[in-house]
Amino acid sequence: MKRTKIDMVMGGAGPLRYPIYVGALIAARDKKLIPGKVDYEKMDRAPRLIGTSAGALIGGLYMSGVSIGRIKKLVEDTDQEQFASFGLARFLKAIILYKANWGGAYMNSGKKAEKWLLEQTGGRTMKDCPGLFIVVADVRNGETVILNAASAPDMTVARAIRASISIPLVFDAVPWTDKYGRKRLLMDGGIRYNFPIDYFVDIDKTPVVGFTPKEGTDPLSDNYSTPEIIKMMIQNMIGATEIKSIEDAAWSSWIMLAGKNDDEKSLLSFDADKKTRKKWLEIGRESTYSKIEAAVEDSKRKLEAVSGDSLVNLYAMLSQDSPGT
C-alpha cells in the first residue's frame, strides 16, 4: 500500500481492555484501509496516528514499524502483570516513598515496561516515526503535551509510550526537559486528553477515524477499600476528559468498541489471562469491521462540509511544534 486511506485516533482503555485496539488495527488492515506494517520509506503517504495511554501503546508499536501480526502475538502472549500490579504491598510502597520523600508516590517504577518497549520498537525515536503523536499530561505545569517528531525528536518511542501509560500512583512519572528548556513531569495522557478525536486537521482530506471503548467504571463494593476509591477516582477523572473532545470533533468520526466486562476484573487490572486478552482483541476487531466503512464515509462528508479557510485556521491553532497546550 503506497498511501493510507485513513488517519487514526486511539484513546485510553486501561490495562484490561487495551487489546481492543489491536482488533481495530486488524479490521482496518483487512478492509485495506491501512498497511499491515508502516514503512515510511516505501509509502507516499503513511498514516498518522494519535494515541493516549493504551492507544499510545498499541498505536506506538504500529507506527514504529511493528507489523499488526506481530503486535497481535505480543498482546496475546505477553503477561502484563510482569510490568505492574495493584495490591496492598504495592500500595504501602507508594505511601512509604511519599512519606520518606524518596521521590514520587508510585507502585511500579515503569522501567521494566520501558525496557520491553525499547526491545519491541528497536530503539526508534519520535523523529523516526513522523506520523506518530502521543498524548501525555505534564502534571508539573498543568498542560497537555503532544509528543511527536517536532516537539520531542530525540525521545525514544518507548519513553513516550511509557509516559502516556503512567497511570497516577501505578507508575512513576517521567521527568523530561523539552527543547525549550522547560522542565516537565509527564504522566498518563488520559488525565487531560483521553480521546484526542479533535486533534487532526486534514488539509489533504484524509478521513479521520477514532476508536474508543464503551464507557464504564468498576462497580464499587459496599465495603470498599482505599485502593478501590483511588481506582474509581482515576476512572472517573479520565472518562470526564472525553466529552469536550467529542463535541469539538467537527471533521472526524469514531467507533465505540462495545464489549461487556464480564470477567469480574477491574478495568485497571494487569492480571488478565491470555483468554481474556484474546476476547477483548476480538471485541475490537468485530466492532471495527462492522462499522469502519460507515465511519470513513461519515468523516469524508464532514471534511467536505468544512471550508479550506477553516482548515487552515484550525491547523495553525494546532501547530505540531507546540510545546504544550
Side-chain angles (χ1 to χ4, degrees):
M1 180 180 288
K2 289 290 185 180
R3 181 181 177 84
T4 186
K5 295 181 180 178
I6 60 170
D7 290 329
M8 293 173 285
V9 178
M10 293 183 174
L16 177 66
R17 299 182 296 178
Y18 82 101
I20 60 173
Y21 293 130
V22 186
L25 288 176
I26 291 171
R29 177 201 64 192
D30 292 350
K31 289 287 187 178
K32 302 188 185 305
L33 296 170
I34 60 172
K37 180 178 180 179
V38 174
D39 190 328
Y40 293 99
E41 293 183 357
K42 294 182 179 180
M43 297 187 71
D44 296 332
R45 207 289 196 176
R48 292 181 301 169
L49 186 150
I50 185 167
T52 299
S53 198
L57 170 59
I58 300 304
L61 289 171
Y62 175 65
M63 294 300 291
S64 63
V66 184
S67 71
I68 293 174
R70 171 65 176 162
I71 297 172
K72 177 177 182 291
K73 181 172 177 54
L74 286 172
V75 167
E76 289 180 345
D77 295 344
T78 302
D79 177 12
Q80 65 263 39
E81 196 172 15
Q82 64 182 297
F83 306 125
S85 65
F86 285 101
L88 180 59
R90 297 279 185 174
F91 183 65
L92 290 174
K93 172 188 173 182
I95 294 175
I96 292 170
L97 285 171
Y98 175 74
K99 290 292 187 181
N101 198 27
W102 290 338
Y106 58 88
M107 301 185 205
N108 308 272
S109 72
K111 292 180 180 179
K112 193 171 184 179
E114 184 174 351
K115 181 181 178 181
W116 182 87
L117 288 164
L118 273 170
E119 293 171 355
Q120 307 310 322
T121 59
R124 291 179 179 83
T125 63
M126 295 302 290
K127 68 172 175 287
D128 297 324
C129 308
L132 176 61
F133 300 76
I134 290 180
V135 180
V136 294
D138 173 12
V139 294
R140 178 177 183 142
N141 299 293
E143 295 179 346
T144 302
V145 176
I146 310 298
L147 302 173
N148 54 54
S151 66
D154 297 322
M155 180 181 288
T156 63
V157 174
R159 172 62 56 100
I161 294 172
R162 178 194 160 185
S164 192
I165 65 173
S166 290
I167 301 169
L169 288 180
V170 179
F171 287 113
D172 191 12
V174 177
W176 176 56
T177 301
D178 66 22
K179 65 182 186 180
Y180 302 100
R182 192 172 190 187
K183 292 183 178 180
R184 299 182 178 276
L185 193 61
L186 309 180
M187 296 196 76
D188 195 307
I191 296 172
R192 293 184 58 89
Y193 200 17
N194 194 50
F195 187 39
I197 187 64
D198 59 333
Y199 183 75
F200 286 139
V201 180
D202 286 86
I203 292 177
D204 66 353
K205 300 290 185 180
T206 299
V208 179
V209 178
F211 308 96
T212 185
K214 186 176 181 180
E215 290 183 9
T217 57
D218 294 331
L220 190 63
S221 64
D222 292 336
N223 299 315
Y224 53 82
S225 63
T226 300
E228 280 186 288
I229 289 291
I230 292 171
K231 286 192 284 185
M232 288 292 292
M233 287 172 58
I234 294 170
Q235 291 172 12
N236 281 280
M237 174 178 60
I238 289 175
T241 67
E242 294 188 6
I243 299 173
K244 182 76 165 59
S245 300
I246 290 175
E247 290 176 347
D248 291 346
W251 52 87
S252 308
S253 187
W254 57 91
I255 297 172
M256 189 73 72
L257 304 176
K260 185 179 179 181
N261 180 20
D262 53 8
D263 303 300
E264 297 184 355
K265 290 184 178 294
S266 165
L267 298 179
L268 293 176
S269 172
F270 286 85
D271 62 353
D273 57 22
K274 185 172 183 177
K275 181 180 178 182
T276 300
R277 294 193 294 271
K278 293 178 77 169
K279 184 199 83 168
W280 284 105
L281 188 152
E282 187 59 21
I283 288 171
R285 190 199 67 80
E286 289 182 354
S287 296
T288 302
Y289 199 87
S290 63
K291 301 173 183 176
I292 194 166
E293 289 172 322
V296 171
E297 291 304 313
D298 181 58
S299 181
K300 285 180 179 178
R301 286 193 297 269
K302 290 177 178 177
L303 284 166
E304 290 299 325
V306 179
S307 70
D309 289 343
S310 295
L311 285 172
V312 171
N313 291 336
L314 285 166
Y315 186 78
M317 291 170 59
L318 299 173
S319 171
Q320 294 180 10
D321 197 23
S322 174
T325 57

